[in-house]
Amino acid sequence: MEAQEYATLRRLEDHFWWYRGLHAIVLDRVFRFGRPDGQAQVLDAGCGTGGMLRRLRSRLPEAAMMGIDFSPHALAHAHVTEPTTRLCRGSVEAVPAASDRFDLVVSLDVLYHAGVTSDAGAVRELARTLRPGGCLVLNLPAFEALRSSHDRAIHTARRYRRSGVEELLRQAGLEPVRVDYWNGFLFPALAAVRWLRRKDVEKDGPPPESDVRPLPGPINATLTAALAVERFWLRFGRLPFGLSVLAVGRKPQP
């Protein structure tokens, strides 16, 4: 992302509807399927400005946490957000950590990026760092048909379907535990907006702004509530479509 996008993200991450919904559903998946204990070793691969690390820290205060990101702009913000967490510059394709180290690896909206040359190679690398029995949690943008100027702003190289994410996990030697579409309740309206903006994808000129921007309080609250209802639904059911794919893969025991 551009430097200004990281500044916007840090400013909005704690209360913007999308990130509040994302962090909440990831925590649901982590503690339902990963079940890390208080002494867990945790990696946020592509930690951005540190919002997910802070959410994990609030639930696992004694865990040993590490965050990596390729962007120095992101890490500068993350150091402010999580000053006690070990942070370093690194790529999801070459994680600066030993094999079989982590009980939990989280990588949210990273593999889609143009800076990742091989998403399959990145998943294999993240799997390498997991201990047997450990879990990898991925969030990725869904459906190529939803590509818009937002993708140009954040350098999206690829979008995913659920079956493709399951195959990425299997190719890396991980068992797909749960792979879901989410943000499906808002899918029709947001898909229509993306479709109307699709003509801006290939335009020349400076990158447009992403969809992460301040919203009026009532609208932000309504969207936040919609994702909270959907999160409850996903504890028991599934959705046939959504704006994102959320996946949990487990490294088999020997």
Side-chain angles (χ1 to χ4, degrees):
M1 293 194 296
E2 306 296 330
Q4 65 268 23
E5 290 291 340
Y6 286 112
T8 300
L9 172 57
R10 177 75 291 276
R11 189 170 67 252
L12 299 178
E13 191 171 20
D14 291 338
H15 58 268
F16 188 70
W17 67 277
W18 170 263
Y19 288 102
R20 288 183 66 182
L22 171 62
H23 293 166
I25 195 171
V26 167
L27 288 176
D28 278 358
R29 289 294 186 255
V30 164
F31 288 96
R32 179 178 177 184
F33 299 110
R35 301 187 185 93
D37 61 29
Q39 304 302 313
Q41 297 275 337
V42 179
L43 170 67
D44 188 344
C47 63
T49 58
M52 190 70 241
L53 279 170
R54 179 156 63 183
R55 301 283 181 133
L56 287 165
R57 174 72 68 193
S58 70
R59 298 286 297 273
L60 295 167
E62 301 301 321
M65 297 208 183
M66 176 179 177
I68 65 168
D69 203 285
F70 193 73
S71 168
H73 303 295
L75 291 173
H77 291 289
H79 275 294
V80 176
T81 305
E82 267 295 302
T84 62
T85 295
R86 182 189 174 196
L87 301 170
C88 62
R89 193 176 184 194
S91 166
V92 291
E93 296 180 274
V95 178
S99 298
D100 302 334
R101 173 174 175 180
F102 298 107
D103 301 288
L104 172 68
V105 175
V106 174
S107 187
L108 308 180
D109 296 300
V110 176
L111 302 186
Y112 76 88
H113 197 272
V116 178
T117 58
S118 169
D119 54 355
V123 177
R124 287 194 299 272
E125 174 67 357
L126 296 175
R128 175 190 68 79
T129 69
L130 277 174
R131 291 174 176 168
C135 280
L136 170 65
V137 180
L138 298 173
N139 192 69
L140 299 162
F143 296 113
E144 188 61 33
L146 293 180
R147 185 176 290 272
S148 73
S149 56
H150 170 79
D151 293 281
R152 184 165 167 247
I154 63 172
H155 305 290
T156 299
R158 51 191 78 88
R159 285 177 162 268
Y160 296 83
R161 289 181 178 266
R162 186 168 62 193
S163 59
V165 177
E166 290 173 345
E167 185 59 25
L168 280 175
L169 294 173
R170 291 191 185 98
Q171 289 176 358
L174 300 177
E175 171 198 357
V177 176
R178 184 71 183 254
V179 182
D180 285 299
Y181 292 117
W182 73 282
N183 203 354
F185 288 6
L186 302 172
F187 183 91
L190 294 177
V193 171
R194 294 284 178 89
W195 185 82
L196 291 171
R197 296 175 61 187
R198 73 196 187 285
K199 294 182 180 178
D200 295 331
V201 174
E202 302 299 336
K203 285 185 177 180
D204 296 331
E209 292 184 353
S210 77
D211 292 342
V212 180
R213 62 190 70 180
L215 292 174
I219 294 176
N220 192 69
T222 299
L223 295 174
T224 300
L227 287 187
V229 172
E230 182 174 309
R231 189 174 78 252
F232 179 79
W233 169 267
L234 286 172
R235 292 176 184 173
F236 308 98
R238 310 192 85 157
L239 295 172
F241 49 72
L243 294 178
S244 294
V245 183
L246 183 66
V248 180
R250 180 175 287 117
K251 191 170 186 175
Q253 295 282 355

